[in-house]
Structures are given as C-alpha cells and as structure tokens.
Amino acid sequence: MNGAESLVRTLVAGGVDVSFTNPGTSEMHFVAALDRVEGMRCVLFLFEGGATGAADGYARMADKPASTLLHLGPGLGNGLANLHNARRARSPVVNIVGEHATYHRRYDAPLTSDIESIARPVSAWVRTCEDSRAVAQEGAAAIAAARAAPGGVATLILPADTAWGEGGEVAAVPALPERAKADEAAIRAAADALRSGEPAVLFLGDRTLRREGLDLAARIAAATGARLMAQVANARIERGAGRHPIDRLPYPVDAAVDRLAGTRHLIVVGTTPPVAFFAYPGKPSELQPRDCAVQVLADPSMDQTDALERLADLVGAPKAAPVPSGAKPEAPTGPLNADTVGLALGALMPEGAIVCDESITTGRNFFPASRFAAPHDWLQLSGGSIGLGIPMATGAAIACPDRKVINIQADGSGLYTAQALWTQARENLDVLTLIWANRSYAILKAELANVGANPGRKALDMLTLDQPPIDWVSLARGFGVEARRVEDLDSFLAAFRAGLSRRGPFLIEVTLG
C-alpha cells in the first residue's frame, strides 16, 4: 500500500473514523485511499471552514478526534477561524493538510506557502512528513497528540509524494499519559479558602461542566456556601432537569464585574481566571475584584474530577447535594421577540437535544430560560471567532445521529459558513437551524458604545444587513434544506414544532425587529 493508504488504515485503527474533507489535487491519493479502506466515513464540505468547524463539533460530542482533509496552505487558511475555536474548546482534531511533493516545493509553484507557520498558532502539534514509509507512524503520533490532555489540534502536513510513495505498516497509537493530579497543597489551600467564611466562587470550565463534575461542585457548594459559576463561553455543558444548574459569567464587562463583586476567593478548576474579551477604555481586563485571591486548583490539562473529589472530601461535603427543581417554561404567548423565543426553546426542546449556540446578542437570555428544560447539552462559540454554529451543529449531528441538534444562530455569523447547510442536506442530518434575522451585526452596535466610539451614518452602514436583506429561506432551499420564514409567535411555535417532529435538516428564519 502507498503512504496515503497506510495513513487511512492507521487512522481507522486508532479510532479516527470520520474525515471532514475539502480536498484538492495534492490530496487525490488520500481521497483514493479513503475509497479503498473500510470504516472511514467521508463528509464533504464546500468550504474548509465548514470542515474544521464540524471537526470541532464532532469532537465535543464524541470525545474523540475526527480528521480533516484540507488543500495546501490556502485551504488551511480558509479553515483557520474554526481551528481557533477548536483550540479554545480543547477539541481533539487530526488536521491533515496536503502539500506539494517534496521535490516540487523548491520551484515556488503558485500554491506554495509556509504551511507549518500557518498551522502553528492553532495547533498543539505540527509535523511535515518527509518519507512515505513513515506516514503511518506520523499519523499515529498525530492521534496521540490530539488526544493528549487537555486535547488539541494536531496538524499533519502530507506532501503528495509521501502519499503516493510506498507506505509502511499500519502504526499503533502510543499510549496516552494519565492526566496530572492537582497538588495536595493546592487542595488544602482551596479547602482553607472555602472554609474561611469569606465569599468564594468555584469558577468552572472544561470537564467540570459535565454531570459528574457539576455534582461534585454542588456538593462542595453545599458544604461551604461557595457560589458556582462557569466561564463565559464553554465547549459543552450538560444541563436541564435533574442536573445541577450553573450560571455563566456574563459577556459584558460591567455585568461580569458586578457578578463577581465581593468575591474574596476565586477557585479556578478546568479553565483560566476570567478576563474581558476585549479591552475597553476605563474598564478592567481582569474581572475579579482587586482584593480577591485567585487560585488555580486544576488547569485544563489536569484531572479535574479527581481534584474536585479530593476537595469535596476535605471540606466534608455531603454524599449528594439536592438538585434544584422547577417547572420548564410553558409555551409562551404574546409578541415574537428574544424573550418569548427563549421561553419556547426551554418549553419545547426534546430530551437529549444538543444545542449549538451562536446566537450572539439575540440569545443572551436563552440560557436561563432553559434551566429546567428537558436534559440536554449546550455547546457555545468557545473561541469567539464567528462562523462556527452551522458547521458545529453538522459535526455534532454526525457524532450523535440519534439526537436532535438545534442550532440557534445569529444571521450575520451564519453567513460565514452557510455552505455547511448543503452538507447537512447531503448527509440527511437531523439539525434544526433557527436563524435570528435581525439583519444586522447587532453586537457591534453595542461595541461601538463600549469602546467609546462616536459613529456616524457611514459607520452604522457597516453593521447592517438589510440593504438588501438576506433571504435565508431561498438560501437554505438552494442548498437542499427545507425552510420557512416566520414573523409572529404563533407561526414560530408551529414551525418549531414541525422542525422538531421530523428527521433531517430544517431551517426557520425568525424575523426579529
């Protein structure tokens, strides 16, 4: 077998059995190998940002990497924004990028670029293969690098001649090291802070937001009176009825500062201390009070569950903490706006739903409205680079084909990667996309005020999407996805119920004032 086939067989043997692709000439031998090897599902995207975003969504729900297949440096460049999001979500991804043949690179052909330099800022591991007989070993190393704690993007660059040249044997993935344990002194210091009687917050991210981690955190809170809080944007939160709820730190700086006001001890587990997304004149970058002591108990690379278990034991936490109960919202009445849409989402989402949230401004109140909804997973725009929502939902649906995926999607950011709707139709994926059509980059209007700018008509024109308005229904149908437009609450509820009741991709354009 050639190098490409040895790589595909190594990927499949190593548990990487989905490839999100947008290939070109240099990758044709890899494409041919995909056809010869059983066990690898190939999913085509019309744009590389769709492939990389889907790899992120897949990893968040499957807890293992998929591979991408991208065309040279420009193809990798097209996918960088969602590889950035994957890096921030700590999603394991085996990112395969084609390259000119090793002997052809010196001729500086039109598509020649420095692929390693493009890949390095978003990758935990980067390597260029130079020998077809070593491709399998490099592929196994890439799987191990992607899966190594805390998880990340491993970029393997594959020159064309290493793909078509004679390959070596299928390689086994090296054993992964165990996650490091939190230091005993750090556990004791956190326990002392929590038992001090001073206001304390357990600030959580990553694995602590799964059900086991939230149960442990709730037990610690019950014993110590600490507040629980998640970071602003999270890769995945397991939530809904029967699960311990957790609030997120607000995105706006003033609201975040208010939420943390009075905190004397911030115990950080599975994330980093909170900072503002951007710098604003006269506002702080660090969001906790100046007199607050910050302690990182377990960073994202560490065994966060073990750290919480040991902390719970040390503070004498009860064996279980009561889960708050409450009724999920009733289907709302009244006008169609962000508040009634949030209530509808909480009322109607089915058990096991996966919510992929790129709702930006419209959806800021959706999270509390779904606190007591049916049990579900909530995935967010973790890296802040817009254009993730539709691809992330696509990847999540491939990872979990028996679960309904609901993509709550801002219209402006959705336009970055709308091509992924075509992939949803091609693969007949069970994704319900809700487009919030306020026909503007609404968040940037608020940011103009936050940074102290004084906009005029020309500046405001750069933030509107209504000249002409985008027709999402026609756009979706052009990609093969059934779609409806709604302009009042009754029509929205009827369309939402219809989309939930059927399998396959469905889009609702929700016209908001």
Side-chain angles (χ1 to χ4, degrees):
M1 57 186 169
N2 62 21
E5 184 172 336
S6 72
L7 175 56
V8 176
R9 292 190 182 279
T10 294
L11 292 173
V12 173
V16 181
D17 52 13
V18 177
S19 179
F20 297 113
T21 71
N22 185 273
T25 302
S26 300
E27 297 77 46
M28 287 299 99
H29 284 274
F30 190 95
V31 171
L34 293 171
D35 207 31
R36 292 193 299 272
V37 177
E38 293 295 326
M40 177 67 80
R41 180 177 181 178
C42 308
V43 182
L44 178 63
F45 285 81
L46 303 178
F47 174 67
E48 294 90 340
T52 54
D56 182 8
Y58 177 92
R60 297 190 198 196
M61 294 309 304
D63 283 328
K64 68 174 187 175
S67 78
T68 63
L69 181 60
L70 309 177
H71 182 42
L72 300 173
L76 171 62
N78 283 341
L80 278 183
N82 279 332
L83 289 174
H84 164 81
N85 287 322
R87 179 178 74 88
R88 286 294 184 175
R90 303 178 185 91
S91 295
V93 177
V94 177
N95 185 43
I96 298 171
V97 184
E99 168 65 297
H100 288 304
T102 55
Y103 60 83
H104 192 65
R105 287 180 295 197
R106 69 178 184 271
Y107 297 110
D108 195 26
L111 279 169
T112 302
S113 63
D114 185 349
I115 300 177
E116 287 195 5
S117 292
I118 298 170
R120 196 163 283 114
V122 296
S123 304
W125 179 98
V126 180
R127 192 167 297 170
T128 300
C129 192
E130 301 290 349
D131 184 342
S132 61
R133 292 163 295 185
V135 169
Q137 286 79 11
E138 301 283 31
I143 297 171
R147 293 183 59 198
V153 178
T155 297
L156 177 61
I157 301 164
L158 190 66
D161 55 334
T162 68
W164 72 54
E166 181 179 349
E169 297 296 321
V170 174
V173 178
L176 298 177
E178 290 188 3
R179 286 178 178 250
K181 306 291 187 183
D183 184 76
E184 185 61 31
I187 300 288
R188 289 196 299 269
D192 290 343
L194 291 170
R195 291 182 298 207
S196 69
E198 297 178 326
V201 169
L202 271 175
F203 190 64
L204 306 178
D206 199 54
R207 295 284 170 156
T208 66
L209 300 176
R210 306 289 181 92
R211 185 166 189 170
E212 182 180 12
L214 288 171
D215 287 349
L216 286 164
R219 289 172 52 204
I220 295 166
T224 64
R227 288 191 294 155
L228 305 182
M229 194 174 299
Q231 62 186 11
V232 176
N234 299 278
R236 178 179 171 186
I237 305 177
E238 295 182 351
R239 62 193 301 267
R243 297 171 176 176
H244 285 284
I246 187 166
D247 292 327
R248 303 176 312 200
L249 189 67
Y251 170 88
V253 170
D254 292 341
V257 169
D258 287 346
R259 191 69 60 86
L260 290 173
T263 303
R264 296 298 305 276
H265 300 280
L266 190 73
I267 312 299
V268 180
V269 192
T271 182
T272 54
V275 297
F277 256 64
F278 302 102
Y280 300 100
K283 297 185 180 182
S285 294
E286 296 180 318
L287 300 176
Q288 72 276 3
R290 291 190 177 185
D291 61 351
C292 176
V294 178
Q295 180 188 348
V296 178
L297 178 65
D299 69 37
S301 70
M302 301 173 76
D303 189 334
Q304 301 149 37
T305 302
D306 174 78
L308 289 176
E309 286 175 341
R310 290 158 61 198
L311 182 58
D313 289 343
L314 199 55
V315 299
K319 295 297 183 184
V323 178
S325 61
K328 69 179 180 180
E330 299 289 336
T333 59
L336 179 65
N337 56 38
D339 291 335
T340 52
V341 164
L343 292 171
L345 186 68
L348 299 179
M349 76 165 72
E351 183 173 353
I354 301 168
V355 179
C356 293
D357 179 5
E358 195 178 26
S359 53
I360 315 295
T361 48
T362 298
R364 284 186 177 169
N365 293 326
F366 292 176
F367 199 75
S370 55
R371 176 184 294 261
F372 297 113
H376 61 277
D377 287 270
W378 197 285
L379 283 56
Q380 291 181 270
L381 177 63
S382 55
S385 183
I386 62 175
L388 177 63
I390 297 174
M392 176 166 63
T394 306
I398 289 173
C400 302
D402 297 328
R403 298 174 65 177
K404 175 68 76 173
V405 178
I406 303 172
N407 175 203
I408 51 178
Q409 180 65 57
D411 56 351
S413 55
L415 290 167
Y416 281 52
T417 47
Q419 311 93 329
L421 292 170
W422 179 85
T423 302
Q424 293 180 12
R426 176 183 171 98
E427 300 290 327
N428 193 32
L429 301 178
D430 197 16
V431 180
L432 172 56
T433 303
L434 306 176
I435 298 290
W436 314 127
N438 58 19
R439 299 192 169 94
S440 71
Y441 290 119
I443 192 170
L444 294 183
K445 292 181 179 178
E447 293 296 85
L448 278 171
N450 288 338
V451 300
N454 185 22
R457 179 59 183 271
K458 188 183 296 185
L460 292 174
D461 279 349
M462 295 301 99
L463 309 181
T464 61
L465 302 174
D466 59 354
Q467 301 176 36
I470 288 91
D471 184 346
W472 274 94
V473 171
S474 296
L475 188 66
R477 289 174 178 169
F479 285 129
V481 173
E482 184 179 352
R484 298 185 192 177
R485 179 181 295 110
V486 300
E487 298 180 351
D488 60 73
L489 184 60
D490 288 343
S491 298
F492 171 71
L493 291 172
F496 191 30
R497 288 186 173 105
L500 292 173
S501 68
R502 68 188 70 187
R503 287 193 60 82
F506 189 80
L507 181 143
I508 305 170
E509 180 182 351
V510 185
T511 303
L512 298 171

